[in-house]
């Protein structure tokens, strides 16, 4: 069974730039959730996609946006990067919306 | 606002010791409580608990939920250096649409 994969593994950007992070869900999973994990903190929910529609959203501004594709892979886009956006971005997939979420290895983003 | 509090935040023990990690929660609509182990990046799934008083076990790890007192514990017996990690507790309260609410984690260090 193919696990959750994310790309890239690391990324360095400067303030004001835009970034796109990618996630491939585990085989057979149709739901993808994105989380932001700052250093020393637990992951914080950004949003969830189910069958290509945004299914729920956490307390993040509109410059955080996403997409889910017909093969259930997903992208997280962040515009107008700020220093506080530096974090580990985790993607998790689940079989359906309400089932256990399995996490990918994350993308570590550094904003200078 | 949903809240998950873990204690202790960090713990250093010797190989062979038994540890108990705590997780208390306040959520509006409880569905399940999950434990994850995070070593470098990807949190790996350990347990999902939905029913009070029923212990889940996997090898040296076990966990139990008390829905009346709103807490869960994770026990690790005969600890090994490979158990060193951050242990995250999360609650699912929205059927997926609100994502998982995580605690800050317990950073466990097992000394040889």
């Amino acid at each position: 069974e193919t696990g959750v994969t994310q790309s890239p593994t690391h990324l360095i950007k400067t303030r004001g730039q835009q970034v796109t992070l990618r996630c491939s869900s585990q085989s057979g999973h149709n739901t993808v959730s994105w989380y932001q994990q700052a250093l020393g903190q637990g992951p914080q929910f950004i949003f969830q996609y189910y069958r290509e529609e945004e299914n729920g959203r956490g307390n993040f501004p509109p410059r955080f946006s996403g997409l889910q594709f017909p093969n259930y892979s997903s992208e997280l886009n962040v515009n107008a990067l700020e220093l506080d956006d530096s974090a580990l971005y985790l993607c998790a997939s689940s079989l359906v919306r309400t089932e256990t979420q399995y996490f990918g290895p994350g993308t570590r983003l550094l904003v200078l | 606002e949903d809240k998950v509090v873990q204690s202790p935040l960090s713990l250093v023990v010797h190989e062979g010791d038994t540890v108990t990690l705590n997780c208390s929660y306040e959520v509006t609509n409880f569905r399940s409580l999950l434990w994850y182990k995070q070593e470098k990046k990807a949190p790996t799934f350990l347990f999902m608990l939905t029913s009070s008083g029923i212990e889940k076990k996997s090898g040296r790890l076990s966990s139990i939920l008390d829905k009346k007192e709103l807490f869960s514990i994770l026990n690790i017996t005969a600890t090994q250096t490979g158990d060193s990690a951050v242990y995250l507790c999360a609650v699912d309260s929205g059927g997926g649409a609100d994502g998982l609410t995580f605690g800050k984690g317990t950073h466990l260090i097992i000394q040889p």
Side-chain angles (χ1 to χ4, degrees):
Chain A
E1 194 172 12
T2 309
V4 181
T5 59
Q6 291 186 243
S7 64
T9 54
H10 295 84
L11 204 48
I12 299 175
K13 291 282 187 178
T14 54
R15 268 186 307 176
Q17 284 189 310
Q18 178 264 342
V19 70
T20 297
L21 310 182
R22 294 180 176 83
C23 170
S24 289
S25 58
Q26 190 163 311
S27 178
H29 287 188
N30 61 17
T31 302
V32 171
S33 303
W34 286 91
Y35 292 83
Q36 180 195 67
Q37 187 176 23
L39 209 57
Q41 302 294 317
Q44 277 200 291
F45 176 64
I46 303 174
F47 43 57
Q48 182 184 84
Y49 276 84
Y50 170 67
R51 292 186 176 179
E52 302 177 58
E53 298 280 335
E54 188 180 289
N55 182 53
R57 190 178 181 94
N59 191 23
F60 280 81
R63 60 188 184 85
F64 285 78
S65 63
L67 278 176
Q68 189 178 30
F69 300 100
N71 67 354
Y72 303 130
S73 66
S74 176
E75 282 182 358
L76 164 65
N77 298 292
V78 187
N79 291 323
L81 283 167
E82 301 176 1
L83 296 179
D84 282 350
D85 295 334
S86 295
L88 179 67
Y89 288 85
L90 294 163
C91 158
S93 75
S94 52
L95 190 57
V96 291
R97 287 172 293 176
T98 56
E99 293 300 318
T100 303
Q101 295 183 24
Y102 294 90
F103 283 83
T107 294
R108 193 166 294 283
L109 173 66
L110 179 60
V111 182
L112 301 175
Chain B
E1 188 183 319
D2 293 349
K3 199 166 143 186
V4 176
V5 177
Q6 292 187 245
S7 63
L9 290 181
S10 65
L11 186 57
V12 180
V13 300
H14 287 102
E15 217 169 6
D17 288 350
T18 293
V19 297
T20 298
L21 310 184
N22 304 295
C23 174
S24 64
Y25 61 90
E26 291 174 32
V27 297
T28 47
N29 184 26
F30 179 88
R31 286 183 50 88
S32 62
L33 184 144
L34 301 98
W35 285 96
Y36 289 87
K37 176 182 181 183
Q38 187 174 29
E39 290 179 85
K40 293 221 166 85
K41 281 190 175 181
T44 52
F45 171 73
L46 296 174
F47 299 112
M48 180 164 80
L49 302 147
T50 54
S51 300
S52 209
I54 298 175
E55 187 181 48
K56 292 264 180 113
K57 249 180 111 67
S58 176
R60 297 176 293 102
L61 277 67
S62 64
S63 184
I64 197 157
L65 174 67
D66 185 329
K67 285 168 81 170
K68 186 177 171 193
E69 300 298 329
L70 308 182
F71 78 90
S72 173
I73 58 172
L74 175 68
N75 276 323
I76 310 175
T77 59
T79 52
Q80 302 170 357
T81 53
D83 295 327
S84 296
V86 174
Y87 289 84
L88 294 164
C89 172
V91 173
D92 181 356
S93 62
D98 295 332
L100 299 177
T101 301
F102 281 85
K104 289 187 176 183
T106 294
H107 188 190
L108 176 64
I109 297 173
I110 311 295
Q111 291 182 336

